[in-house]
Amino acid sequence: MALGRDFVADWIARSAQAISEHRSELITLDREIGDGDHGENMDRGFTAVAVKSGDLPADATPADVLKVVATTLISTVGGASGPLYGTAFLKGSGAVVGASELDGAAIVAFLTAARDGIVLRGKAEVGDKTMIDAWTPAVDAAAAAQQAGKSEAEILAAAADAAQAGAESTDPLVARKGRASYLGERAIGHRDPGSVSTTLILRAAAEAAADAAASA
Amino acid sequence: MSVGIVVVSHSAKIAEGVVELAGQMADGVAIVAAGGTDEGGIGTSFDKVGTAIGEADSGEGVVILCDLGSAIMTAETALDFLDDADRARVVIADAPIVEGAVAAAVAARTGGDRDAVLAAAQTAGGGSAEAADLAGVQADAATASTSSSSDDGAAVGGAGRRVRHATLVNGSGLHARPAAEFVKAASGFDAAITVDGVDAKSLLRIMALGRGQGSELELTAEGPDAAAALDALVALVDSGFGED
């Protein structure tokens, strides 16, 4: 079943909750190889998003909600994640403008545009030890699942699983972008915090989609 | 009005400090700080950057200086949200924040257009550009020391190349504000002017010379208004730049 505005609202609420629950984990990860503010910044941003997205009119489309997520993250997160996630949601919402419901193709289009937005903004590639190491495998897995005719919930579950594996793959890497790039080999053995928050957000999407499918 | 400058830093103190430093050399140029988060913490604020761009833009354009990577991302995102017409006037410099802001401010003060201000910032040093610039300074100095011996006998010679000497009498020498005034004065002439072998219209090269009080400067000028340029610059040095 295609996913509508209620799915997006549930996804955002679940993301806010997951970020809040993992706030100290994100702070700890970022303190190891960054400036330590990722958990706090993301929590502040998604808390604001949860409030703002509740104010939208009843006839708002998924793209409308996603655009509010984008602008709210951009103006509230503070660290690099604000422009990065903000641009992701902005470009992603642009890819699904006008649709009242998101089918598998729209979900893949959203994820692809979101990832491309992050690359545009942060100039990172796979292997740089950034959130792109979670996003790109997620996009690839979602596209493969969609081509195999899987449901929306299965597509998002595939994306979340791939993001998780991608986040784990950052452990042995030396960072080539972001604050951790100043640390050289000292970054080895630590997971990139942005790849972990990406996984949380995509996992929230998969759970919201599974819930929507179960209650349909 | 001149080109405006926005300084984006993770720290409000850094942004304000850079604005203060650059402003010392660029009276009347709109240099606006956008440092820290909305709550005053460490980070960058999309809203502060957007507001600062609006304040700095008088229609002549804006050059943005940033510190760490996410400041650049925040600035780029702020640009994405401008109207096309406004965005066309705004550029982000790939330059070290302090040196770039100082060079940009002086270029804006001397009437440079947006691209000239951007170029001034981007040639202000940092990484390989700095190495190239320093190499250039050394090459210039080497050229000056070899050529001065051969030219000394003919102070007015060759194709109208003129040479004059002047001694720095002011306390801070050819540094900071005096250096900026010197560059401003030199930029008013068409002649190619050097001071101790380096381009007299390049603030950072002049500051890199590190000439202090009591140093004797060798000024050369070549071009139609060379004599007037040297008269003006020698008078400026002799005046002590208004310092004691």
Side-chain angles (χ1 to χ4, degrees):
Chain A
M1 57 158 287
L3 300 165
R5 179 244 168 110
D6 287 349
F7 153 76
V8 179
D10 189 33
W11 169 25
I12 298 313
R14 285 171 186 267
S15 297
Q17 194 186 344
I19 298 278
S20 172
E21 283 168 3
H22 290 81
R23 176 191 158 106
S24 32
E25 179 194 339
L26 293 173
I27 289 173
T28 304
L29 287 172
D30 195 29
R31 193 169 285 146
E32 299 291 349
I33 57 170
D35 49 13
D37 63 2
H38 190 55
E40 190 182 331
N41 287 344
M42 290 294 287
D43 192 18
R44 179 173 58 243
F46 269 88
T47 302
V49 163
V51 172
K52 285 253 189 157
S53 58
D55 294 343
L56 282 164
D59 59 351
T61 62
D64 295 334
V65 183
L66 294 165
K67 190 170 182 191
V68 167
V69 173
T71 53
T72 309
L73 290 178
I74 288 167
S75 58
T76 57
V77 170
S81 311
L84 289 171
Y85 279 119
T87 303
F89 277 92
L90 194 66
K91 302 291 184 191
S93 80
V96 297
V97 161
S100 57
E101 294 198 314
L102 307 179
D103 59 12
I107 287 167
V108 172
F110 171 86
L111 293 173
T112 304
R115 187 271 316 270
D116 292 350
I118 295 168
V119 170
L120 170 84
R121 190 62 74 221
K123 319 279 189 296
E125 297 169 7
V126 168
D128 286 349
K129 199 179 182 99
T130 72
M131 61 172 74
I132 285 300
D133 289 326
W135 273 97
T136 290
V139 168
D140 293 345
Q146 195 255 332
Q147 289 202 336
K150 305 279 189 182
S151 73
E152 287 77 12
E154 287 167 328
I155 292 168
L156 283 166
D161 290 345
Q164 171 74 40
E168 288 165 8
S169 80
T170 67
D171 292 4
L173 298 177
V174 170
R176 287 197 291 257
K177 292 282 177 196
R179 206 70 70 90
S181 63
Y182 297 119
L183 297 178
E185 299 201 340
R186 278 207 290 130
I188 293 173
H190 299 286
R191 192 161 301 173
D192 174 65
S195 72
V196 175
S197 57
T198 295
T199 304
L200 292 173
I201 292 166
L202 294 179
R203 182 68 66 198
E207 288 172 0
D211 221 37
S215 62
Chain B
M1 286 299 289
S2 59
V3 173
I5 296 163
V6 171
V7 178
V8 183
S9 170
H10 282 62
S11 154
K13 287 180 184 171
I14 289 177
E16 285 159 17
V18 171
V19 166
E20 190 180 8
L21 178 63
Q24 196 193 15
M25 302 170 150
D27 242 8
V29 176
I31 312 174
V32 186
T37 64
D38 290 338
E39 294 80 26
I42 292 288
T44 50
S45 156
F46 169 80
D47 291 329
K48 280 191 182 184
V49 174
T51 305
I53 291 171
E55 286 175 16
D57 188 12
S58 62
E60 299 292 314
V62 175
V63 173
I64 304 179
L65 279 301
C66 301
D67 61 0
L68 302 170
S70 60
I72 299 171
M73 287 192 260
T74 300
E76 286 176 347
T77 308
L79 292 195
D80 279 353
F81 280 78
L82 294 177
D83 297 339
D84 288 348
D86 290 338
R87 184 167 55 237
R89 292 198 299 275
V90 184
V91 284
I92 300 170
D94 179 10
I97 190 164
V98 176
E99 291 85 345
V102 169
V106 173
R109 177 67 183 79
T110 53
D113 64 11
R114 205 276 313 270
D115 289 340
V117 173
L118 175 68
Q122 297 196 148
T123 54
S128 54
E130 183 178 44
D133 202 41
L134 284 177
V137 169
Q138 281 156 5
D140 289 348
T143 311
S145 59
T146 52
S147 64
S148 63
S149 55
S150 57
D151 285 356
D152 259 349
V156 182
R161 178 169 176 272
R162 292 164 181 274
V163 182
R164 294 273 298 273
H165 294 83
T167 301
L168 287 164
V169 294
N170 58 304
S172 62
L174 201 53
H175 179 69
R177 186 187 59 81
E181 286 194 19
F182 189 89
V183 168
K184 218 182 300 174
S187 300
F189 294 95
D190 293 329
I193 307 168
T194 69
V195 49
D196 287 355
V198 307
D199 183 355
K201 297 172 186 177
S202 165
L203 177 72
L204 291 157
R205 289 194 169 194
I206 284 180
M207 287 175 63
L209 288 172
R211 295 291 184 263
Q213 188 174 26
S215 298
E216 184 180 77
L217 306 175
E218 183 182 84
L219 306 174
T220 75
E222 192 167 349
D225 53 5
L230 292 181
D231 286 347
L233 293 172
V234 168
L236 181 62
V237 173
D238 286 346
S239 77
F241 301 93
E243 288 182 9
D244 293 333

